Amino acid sequence: MKRISKPAIVVNFKAYGEVEKEGAMELARACESVSEETGIAISICPPTVDLSYIARTVSIPVLSQNVDPRAPGSATGWITPSMVKGCGAVGTLINHSEHKVAKNQIGECVELSKGVKLVTIVCADNVQAATQVAEFRPDFVAVEPPELIGGNISVTSANPRIIEETVDAVKGVNGSIAVLCGAGIKTGEDVLKAIELGTSGVLLASGVVKAKDPRVALMDLVKHL
Ligand code: G3P
């Protein structure tokens, strides 16, 4: 299933040592097998160097961790939305807290991505930023308070208000934009709470990538869906 259906679990592999060498493909396979077994859409964002290989191999949606605001052409070293689409990915993150994009360029990235039919997930640190990026009409806005990223306290318990307020604000801009939340998400209870707070799913990383057994972590994440 290459469509990012909802509720969506999006696993960002980041650049953790665990996903170097064969690690990215092994994790991609674990996500694929849990998705197939449970019927829950698990999408993955592998490191860019592995994007093509993984996107052409697994049956689940694969997204880039970022794209650059560049069209095909003289753009040495940039990652164009067009090449991301061409390598078999279905979407991209934009403006992740660890890979910030200037505000005017977020719109360009969304437009270029839409032009090649890539699904766009634009990240935002807070409600105000989420409201601003919603103006670009991405498919998803993902709210992630930076101070909770990579930690052990889930945004769903540390700051449920930011999630509710983001959902209201984004839907106020455009009701068809889906909202995800992320930061510290680790368990099925966290995912359930995220859904109860009005989101269409979660964006997470360390809870899966750094888990002792990622497959067990993934099964736990989807257990209430
Ligand atoms: O992209 C997901 C991310 O920033 C959240 O990371 O490790 O808190 O799940 P983590």
Side-chain angles (χ1 to χ4, degrees):
M1 172 173 57
K2 288 266 186 185
R3 210 168 61 83
I4 309 176
S5 56
K6 299 161 192 159
I9 307 283
V10 183
V11 182
N12 178 6
F13 292 11
K14 300 198 175 182
Y16 284 121
E18 284 83 348
V19 295
E20 289 178 3
K21 300 179 187 165
E22 291 311 311
M25 182 57 90
E26 281 166 21
L27 185 55
R29 286 291 195 198
C31 293
E32 178 185 49
S33 85
V34 172
S35 184
E36 282 176 355
E37 205 173 308
T38 63
I40 304 296
I42 299 177
S43 307
I44 56 173
C45 311
T48 311
V49 290
D50 293 311
L51 197 61
S52 177
Y53 172 44
I54 291 179
R56 291 174 200 282
T57 306
V58 299
S59 59
I60 54 176
V62 175
L63 294 86
S64 180
Q65 294 181 10
N66 79 298
V67 286
D68 294 312
R70 290 288 185 283
S74 309
T76 304
W78 296 87
I79 301 166
T80 66
S82 179
M83 68 171 70
V84 167
K85 178 72 179 188
C87 79
V90 302
T92 184
L93 302 182
I94 294 169
N95 194 44
H96 189 277
S97 180
E98 294 150 12
H99 201 120
K100 285 285 190 194
V101 178
K103 211 179 125 201
N104 60 324
Q105 297 193 334
I106 297 174
E108 284 181 63
C109 290
V110 172
E111 277 313 303
L112 286 164
S113 298
K114 279 186 183 175
V116 293
K117 296 197 167 29
L118 279 181
V119 173
T120 48
I121 302 179
V122 179
C123 300
D125 292 353
N126 53 46
V127 181
Q128 194 196 5
T131 314
Q132 287 171 351
V133 301
E135 297 289 348
F136 300 123
R137 304 287 192 272
D139 298 287
F140 294 84
V141 170
V143 64
E144 300 196 319
E147 67 280 10
L148 298 172
I149 291 179
N152 285 321
I153 305 170
S154 167
V155 60
T156 53
S157 39
N159 195 352
R161 229 174 114 188
I162 195 177
I163 301 172
E164 288 175 310
E165 290 181 1
T166 299
V167 171
D168 284 350
V170 168
K171 297 288 178 192
V173 175
N174 186 313
S176 65
I177 302 173
V179 175
L180 306 177
C181 67
I185 304 272
K186 299 252 181 322
T187 68
E189 285 68 31
D190 299 337
V191 175
L192 183 61
K193 187 81 188 293
I195 306 289
E196 288 171 352
L197 290 167
T199 71
S200 297
V202 298
L203 172 62
L204 81 160
S206 53
V208 171
V209 183
K210 296 187 82 67
K212 202 159 72 187
D213 185 339
R215 205 174 181 283
V216 171
L218 286 160
M219 287 304 279
D220 187 75
L221 279 171
V222 302
K223 71 185 175 197
H224 294 307
L225 301 179

